Amino acid sequence: MFMLQSDLRSAIQIAATYCYFNPNRYDSPSSRPVSLRTPSRLKPLHAAAVERVAEKPPICTADELHYVSIHNSDWRLALWRYKPPPQAPSRNHPLLLLSGIGTNAIGYDLAPGSSFARHMSSQGFDTWILEFRGAGLSSEVASKEVKQPVNLPPERLDATSKNPPNVISDSSAQSKVSSAGEKKETVESDSDQSQLLTTFTETFKRFSERLSNLIKEGSPEALQNSTLATQIRDLSQRLVDIMEEGQRSVSPPITDLLDRFSSTVENLQSQIDLLGKYNWDFDHYLEEDVPAAMEYILRQCNPKDDKLLAIGHSMGGILLYSMLSRNAYERRDSRLAAIVTLGASLDYTTSNSTLKLLTPLADPAQALNVPAVPLGALLAAAYPLASRPPYVMSWLNRLITAQDMMHPDLMEKFVMTNFCTVPAKLLLQLTTAFQVGGLRDRSGTFFYKNHINKIDVPVLAIAGDLDLICPPEAVFETIKLVPKHLAKYKVFGEPGGPHYAHYDLVGGRLAPEQLYPSVIEFLTAHDST
């Protein structure tokens, strides 16, 4: 049993560590695109088409939804816009929010009263969230899949703000909606439990066989190898074994896992046909996605100095550092007035970051055999094992949030809606952040860290005292290279608590009163034109 837990922990921690993906694609109305000029700095290889969607899908809780389509790819990028209320202070620059690898916009707008994006717009910033290609509403152009939102019942949303942080609620209620108020019968007999586990096993077996056939018979050339099928089949079986062990240890049994796994298998199956398209890396985000989004936002908002403010969490912060570094090296204007990074660094070699679990992917042969890692759906299915007795995967929670910093209902919504499939090329390039010299470009010859000392943009770097993904020493490793008159560094968390883990820097319970004011003060100081 220990070996099974250890193996599964290594597999799923890859997904949890890079936090926070959503495996689904959404459909949205199309409208006539207009021309968009190509920016002069880091830019897409071709011009892009842009559009604003008149009717947003239910999952989008922003005021507006916009799209930028890059012609040299099959993806269009979603931009969630939050417009300041009339009574908010006037600002000179729009604000762009960038999230972690594969993360959709939900992490910045989790629920009313727990929304980083809404808080920033309430302070007068015209706030935009970019969803990178393959995440959230940034869908393949031909995608026909639709994702429905996961909403907490009103009474549970009220409990989020009223209940003390140590109150434990039943997080399973959110994941199922009864069409006629029917109550699901509890599985009580041994035969029913056995049938439940048999169903899990048979379902995964069918999925694995289908996956293997797709790879061997009709998938793209990069998938003509049974390694991926074997890995997912093994991982699925281990997950079933662990659940079976947990089932014996819990009374009453976990009766809603069948629904979770049925949904999960459907999500996994929907990803298989797209795996061959997951062929981008970090530099695609840097050179295409972010510049296209910036150009569109600047055209929409038209600031006098043609600049914007930006905040990046996790990989989003790494992207901002990399953009400043590349533009400084090429002596180009970054068109950034100031940036804030939350739990981000270009060099993790001096820290004990849990991201070091990704270093085995540094073997190019292994990366080619696994073109994409569809662990988002598996993570969502496994979440009950982290949130309920016997807490087989309780370590997962600590990667995301510190004790008492996130309401259980919000934690569940975050995990169940915020993860997606990750390209191996992206993971492969990011593993260079754990090698001597730090993060490199795809050629391996440009070290982003080496040119941070030449940047001319103010930077506020924020770390969490219990951030296991990007510890304070990793954050400091990069911010110390920024010219002193432009750099600010803050660590949040106290020896006796409260503490801040990786996601707490964005959505922690106390972040609005403790952390957000520092961000707003910094942005306000650099908002003049």
Side-chain angles (χ1 to χ4, degrees), residues 123 195 340 444 456 471 517 527:
Q123 297 300 309
Q195 180 61 41
V340 178
D456 59 358
D527 185 49

Side-chain angles (χ1 to χ4, degrees), residues 306 353 380 447:
D306 201 32
S353 168
F447 293 79

Side-chain angles (χ1 to χ4, degrees), residues 9 85 98 208 211 230 233 235 470 496 514:
R9 178 178 304 176
L98 303 177
S208 296
L211 171 62
T230 300
R233 185 187 298 112
L235 182 58
C470 188
Q514 295 184 349

Side-chain angles (χ1 to χ4, degrees), residues 282-303:
F282 178 86
D283 286 351
H284 282 96
Y285 290 157
L286 180 65
E287 297 168 0
E288 300 178 17
D289 293 30
V290 177
M294 288 180 59
E295 181 70 16
Y296 180 66
I297 294 170
L298 290 171
R299 277 181 167 268
Q300 290 289 311
C301 300
N302 196 29

Side-chain angles (χ1 to χ4, degrees), residues 124-155:
F125 296 104
D126 191 344
T127 303
W128 301 70
I129 307 174
L130 168 63
E131 291 188 313
F132 300 108
R133 65 183 72 188
L137 294 172
S138 288
S139 60
E140 187 193 15
V141 174
S143 176
K144 298 299 180 185
E145 297 176 37
V146 179
K147 168 73 174 184
Q148 296 301 321
V150 175
N151 296 315
L152 296 176
E155 64 272 13

Side-chain angles (χ1 to χ4, degrees), residues 391-411:
Y391 302 106
V392 178
M393 298 184 198
S394 59
W395 50 268
L396 177 61
N397 295 338
R398 296 193 296 272
L399 291 176
I400 298 173
T401 183
Q403 185 176 3
D404 295 339
M405 281 296 280
M406 198 169 179
H407 191 277
D409 291 343
L410 294 181
M411 176 68 170

Side-chain angles (χ1 to χ4, degrees), residues 409-427:
D409 291 343
L410 294 181
M411 176 68 170
E412 181 178 13
K413 180 180 179 181
F414 178 74
V415 173
M416 298 298 292
T417 61
N418 213 37
F419 292 79
C420 74
T421 297
V422 191
K425 285 185 178 180
L426 178 56
L427 297 178

